[in-house]
Amino acid sequence: MGADSNNKPRVLSGIQPSGNLTIGNYLGALKQWVEVQHDYDCFYCVVDLHAITVTQDPLELRQKTRESAAMYIAAGIDPEVSTIFVQSHVPAHSELAWMLTCMAPLGWLQRMTQFKDKSAKQAQESIGAGLLNYPSLMAADILLYHADLVPVGDDQNQHLEFTRDLAQRFNHLYGETFTLPSVMNPQAGARIMGLDIPTAKMSKSEDSENHAVFLLDDLARARKKIMRAVTDSHRDIRFSDQAERAGVNNLLTIYQAIAGERNEEIEAKFAGCGYGDLKRAVADSVVSTLEPLQERYYQLMNEAGYLDSVLRLGREKAAAIAEATLKLAQERMGFLAPS
Ligand code: TRP
């Protein structure tokens, strides 16, 4: 299962259109999506249904959804090679998600660290049930396409395990239906941390000014944020997993994710340098990554109708596969087919 007519294993991934995309999204996800697109049959979606697990402003959600799709392309995903689509444009996602929700043990859902973290940040009364059921929707995204591989940051590994467990449960109860997906974590830069709090993952929905570099940040501003990144009171520039040294480690990780060099090479390069030198080097490499990306982004946002046509085609390609899988799952579960 999984392979289609072109016989390549299938890849599926998505990012929520909540907030602006950051260099964490680029280095931890998009960059890898671009790199694998010729080796696999890739489906990349903008997961707007996931975004509404916390309240979104309608105007902003619509705008961010378009911007995210445009950013996928600007980052280098070729719509002629990969399928780019919006999750809510393919209703099969919501439909299968409900079926999976009914099969998902409450205990599994309550054990998810992302749920625990996100719900801890909100008043009990205001937590939507969608936050709990988030992993069932993610499982639907993946299983509808018989995805073999799912490139995600390692914070999503638990959701992938959940997806496999749920698929197995379905297959066991109703017969072989879903492909069990494997996780694909990026080598370096799986986890870019906040510049102000380097012990927490860089988030696109964090308010503080120096937390994240956004992909659309003015280049001078991006540079300034990196120059202000939290470091420590040591002097040596080295990769480290000590919490105390998380800031320097994060800067090195960003540098590495862009340069693609090994730890030792990078440490040798910065031997004897100060934190100012490190920050300047990181800022230079970030800025030279952002510059061409922004240029492509504004170019294609100005091309009337282009993005819409990409999303229309993506929706058609995605829906054809998703609907067939949904139909099979409905049949297996015992739904009466409409005549
Ligand atoms: N939960 C993922 C995240 O926050 C986003 C996501 C939703 C996703 N559906 C997916 C990732 C399907 C991979 C595959 O990063």
Side-chain angles (χ1 to χ4, degrees), residues 15-17 19-27 29-31 33-34 37 44-46 63-79 84 204 213-218 289-301 306-307 310-311:
I15 298 178
Q16 296 186 45
N20 296 311
L21 293 175
T22 70
I23 54 165
N25 297 121
Y26 177 73
L27 299 173
L30 289 170
K31 190 164 178 281
W33 297 5
V34 172
Q37 68 180 334
Y44 296 128
C45 65
V46 179
Q63 195 179 353
K64 294 282 178 262
T65 301
R66 292 192 96 245
E67 284 177 11
S68 301
M71 198 50 93
Y72 288 8
I73 304 169
I77 294 162
D78 181 351
I84 299 173
K204 52 178 132 58
V213 172
F214 296 108
L215 296 179
L216 292 177
D217 267 347
D218 167 86
T289 302
L290 294 188
E291 205 167 15
L293 194 143
Q294 293 185 358
E295 200 176 305
R296 280 195 297 272
Y297 174 86
Y298 290 115
Q299 218 167 31
L300 68 94
M301 283 302 259
Y306 173 70
L307 187 60
V310 167
L311 293 180

Side-chain angles (χ1 to χ4, degrees), residues 16 37 41 47 103 155 202 242 244 276 293 304 311 321 337 339:
Q16 296 186 45
Q37 68 180 334
D41 181 26
V47 291
M103 297 181 53
D155 63 308
M202 185 180 283
Q242 279 174 269
E244 205 206 348
L293 194 143
L311 293 180
I321 296 165
S339 58

Side-chain angles (χ1 to χ4, degrees), residues 223-253:
R223 182 177 291 281
K224 200 182 280 173
K225 287 180 181 176
I226 290 167
M227 296 309 291
R228 288 187 183 160
V230 166
T231 51
D232 56 44
S233 55
H234 294 257
R235 304 184 60 95
D236 56 328
I237 297 177
R238 229 175 276 198
F239 285 93
S240 161
D241 49 21
Q242 279 174 269
E244 205 206 348
R245 309 223 57 194
V248 170
N249 189 68
N250 191 37
L251 289 168
L252 287 169
T253 303

Side-chain angles (χ1 to χ4, degrees), residues 30-328:
L30 289 170
K31 190 164 178 281
Q32 191 185 26
W33 297 5
V34 172
E35 283 161 5
V36 302
Q37 68 180 334
H38 292 283
D39 300 328
Y40 302 101
D41 181 26
C42 297
F43 286 73
Y44 296 128
C45 65
V46 179
V47 291
D48 53 350
L49 297 168
H50 278 104
I52 62 162
T53 52
V54 297
T55 311
Q56 301 291 332
D57 174 72
L59 274 178
E60 213 165 286
L61 179 63
R62 194 170 298 122
Q63 195 179 353
K64 294 282 178 262
T65 301
R66 292 192 96 245
E67 284 177 11
S68 301
M71 198 50 93
Y72 288 8
I73 304 169
I77 294 162
D78 181 351
E80 310 259 327
V81 175
S82 305
T83 304
I84 299 173
F85 68 104
V86 175
Q87 187 187 29
S88 68
H89 289 181
V90 181
H93 289 250
S94 302
E95 297 177 67
L96 183 62
W98 172 250
M99 293 156 68
L100 296 176
T101 291
C102 293
M103 297 181 53
L106 198 51
W108 294 6
L109 292 167
Q110 284 169 331
R111 236 176 282 132
M112 294 290 126
T113 35
Q114 183 172 301
F115 170 70
K116 289 197 275 188
D117 290 351
K118 288 199 176 176
S119 57
K121 284 186 193 157
Q122 289 182 45
Q124 194 69 28
E125 318 292 287
S126 67
I127 301 167
L131 209 53
L132 179 69
N133 288 313
Y134 181 111
S136 306
L137 177 59
M138 179 162 163
D141 299 341
I142 297 165
L143 300 178
L144 280 173
Y145 299 88
H146 300 294
D148 301 288
L149 289 163
V150 181
V152 281
D154 56 10
D155 63 308
Q156 294 297 311
N157 291 3
Q158 200 186 25
H159 288 160
L160 250 291
E161 246 164 75
F162 170 90
T163 301
R164 293 171 58 90
D165 290 346
L166 208 55
Q168 235 159 353
R169 197 178 166 94
F170 190 104
N171 289 349
H172 181 72
L173 281 169
Y174 304 110
E176 278 306 308
T177 306
F178 297 124
T179 303
L180 300 192
S182 299
V183 68
M184 186 192 224
N185 293 137
Q187 314 78 346
R191 233 171 187 200
I192 303 298
M193 313 304 270
L195 297 174
D196 56 346
I197 312 167
T199 47
K201 188 185 166 188
M202 185 180 283
S203 159
K204 52 178 132 58
S205 38
E206 186 65 57
D207 286 334
S208 59
E209 166 65 21
N210 288 318
H211 176 77
V213 172
F214 296 108
L215 296 179
L216 292 177
D217 267 347
D218 167 86
L219 299 177
R221 187 157 177 213
R223 182 177 291 281
K224 200 182 280 173
K225 287 180 181 176
I226 290 167
M227 296 309 291
R228 288 187 183 160
V230 166
T231 51
D232 56 44
S233 55
H234 294 257
R235 304 184 60 95
D236 56 328
I237 297 177
R238 229 175 276 198
F239 285 93
S240 161
D241 49 21
Q242 279 174 269
E244 205 206 348
R245 309 223 57 194
V248 170
N249 189 68
N250 191 37
L251 289 168
L252 287 169
T253 303
I254 295 170
Y255 186 87
Q256 181 170 51
I258 296 173
E261 294 163 3
R262 289 178 300 116
N263 290 17
E264 308 78 63
E265 291 176 83
I266 295 171
E267 286 171 354
K269 187 175 289 181
F270 290 111
C273 293
Y275 288 165
D277 302 314
L278 171 65
K279 287 177 171 179
R280 263 186 297 279
V282 173
D284 286 345
S285 59
V286 167
V287 163
S288 56
T289 302
L290 294 188
E291 205 167 15
L293 194 143
Q294 293 185 358
E295 200 176 305
R296 280 195 297 272
Y297 174 86
Y298 290 115
Q299 218 167 31
L300 68 94
M301 283 302 259
N302 281 328
E303 220 175 302
Y306 173 70
L307 187 60
D308 296 318
S309 73
V310 167
L311 293 180
R312 204 176 313 122
L313 185 69
R315 171 198 183 172
E316 277 169 24
K317 289 205 280 180
I321 296 165
E323 280 165 17
T325 311
L326 175 68
K327 201 165 157 228
L328 179 67

